[in-house]
Amino acid sequence: MNSVKSIFIVAALGLCLIGTSSCKGKSGQKDSKESETRTTVQTTLFDKSLPEIKELVEGKWELVSGQNTTQLCEFENTFIQFNGDKYVWTEEGKDEPGDLNWRKADTGAGYEAYLMDVFLETSPSYPLAIKGDTLFIQDCTETAYKYTLVRR
């Protein structure tokens, strides 16, 4: 009698596990594929076409830090929303919209890239790379800050 009971318990547990994993696969399948695609993107951006760059950086990003060889600046509650040729900079709850003014030009690092005006109009920057949900933007100033942003 105990062996029949044991077989029944093992079979019931097996059905529960199969049922649970199939439910997970069906719920939010599209969301997990989209999320997986975004988090698995690992590519340089400075060598991409402008439509590719716009597509990859579109969305809301939190500005985390800016760093060069001697300094590290950290940011809190600062966000940038990219949408094609426009951006919205949000800091301390205030939205400041602007135009990115994309243009292909010399970066000062020995190659050309699509520059944009997101930090300062007089100091353009360019999307450097994406690694998962992290975007790196390089500025073209003498300080050569590399900014780190995280997708939100």
Side-chain angles (χ1 to χ4, degrees), residues 1 7 14 19 22 28 31 34 37 45 48 51 54 65-67 74 77 90 101 107 114 116 118 123 126 128 131 147:
M1 189 71 160
I7 292 171
S22 66
D31 291 341
E34 287 176 10
T37 300
L45 295 172
K48 301 289 185 267
K54 288 179 182 181
S65 65
Q67 181 175 348
E74 294 178 329
N77 300 318
T90 304
N101 300 317
T107 62
Y114 283 99
M116 61 181 176
V118 71
S123 304
Y126 59 96
L128 185 63
K131 292 183 181 176
Y147 295 94

Side-chain angles (χ1 to χ4, degrees), residues 54-111:
K54 288 179 182 181
E55 181 180 335
L56 289 166
V57 303
E58 185 170 330
K60 186 174 185 177
W61 299 86
E62 182 176 6
L63 179 59
V64 178
S65 65
Q67 181 175 348
N68 63 16
T69 57
T70 60
Q71 297 174 320
L72 172 67
C73 297
E74 294 178 329
F75 299 88
E76 291 183 12
N77 300 318
T78 303
F79 301 90
I80 304 171
Q81 172 90 32
F82 293 104
N83 186 4
D85 295 327
K86 304 275 185 194
Y87 72 92
V88 176
W89 181 285
T90 304
E91 190 171 14
E92 295 181 15
K94 293 181 183 178
D95 291 345
E96 295 181 33
D99 296 318
L100 289 171
N101 300 317
W102 294 102
R103 66 226 177 253
K104 190 149 192 173
D106 183 48
T107 62
Y111 55 87

Side-chain angles (χ1 to χ4, degrees), residues 2-152:
N2 280 340
S3 64
V4 173
K5 199 178 207 180
S6 297
I7 292 171
F8 178 74
I9 291 173
V10 170
L13 285 173
L15 286 173
C16 287
L17 290 174
I18 291 170
T20 303
S21 63
S22 66
C23 289
K24 285 181 184 175
K26 289 180 183 174
S27 67
Q29 190 171 3
K30 184 178 180 184
D31 291 341
S32 67
K33 282 185 180 178
E34 287 176 10
S35 176
E36 184 178 315
T37 300
R38 285 190 175 177
T39 58
T40 58
V41 172
Q42 294 198 26
T43 187
T44 57
L45 295 172
F46 63 88
D47 55 351
K48 301 289 185 267
S49 69
L50 187 54
E52 287 177 289
I53 295 169
K54 288 179 182 181
E55 181 180 335
L56 289 166
V57 303
E58 185 170 330
K60 186 174 185 177
W61 299 86
E62 182 176 6
L63 179 59
V64 178
S65 65
Q67 181 175 348
N68 63 16
T69 57
T70 60
Q71 297 174 320
L72 172 67
C73 297
E74 294 178 329
F75 299 88
E76 291 183 12
N77 300 318
T78 303
F79 301 90
I80 304 171
Q81 172 90 32
F82 293 104
N83 186 4
D85 295 327
K86 304 275 185 194
Y87 72 92
V88 176
W89 181 285
T90 304
E91 190 171 14
E92 295 181 15
K94 293 181 183 178
D95 291 345
E96 295 181 33
D99 296 318
L100 289 171
N101 300 317
W102 294 102
R103 66 226 177 253
K104 190 149 192 173
D106 183 48
T107 62
Y111 55 87
E112 288 190 341
Y114 283 99
L115 305 183
M116 61 181 176
D117 300 329
V118 71
F119 296 108
L120 296 169
E121 190 172 324
T122 58
S123 304
S125 56
Y126 59 96
L128 185 63
I130 287 184
K131 292 183 181 176
D133 280 342
T134 305
L135 169 64
F136 300 98
I137 296 178
Q138 181 70 53
D139 80 11
C140 297
T141 65
E142 288 180 18
T143 59
Y145 274 101
K146 181 166 82 173
Y147 295 94
T148 302
L149 300 93
V150 177
R151 190 178 295 277
R152 294 294 177 219

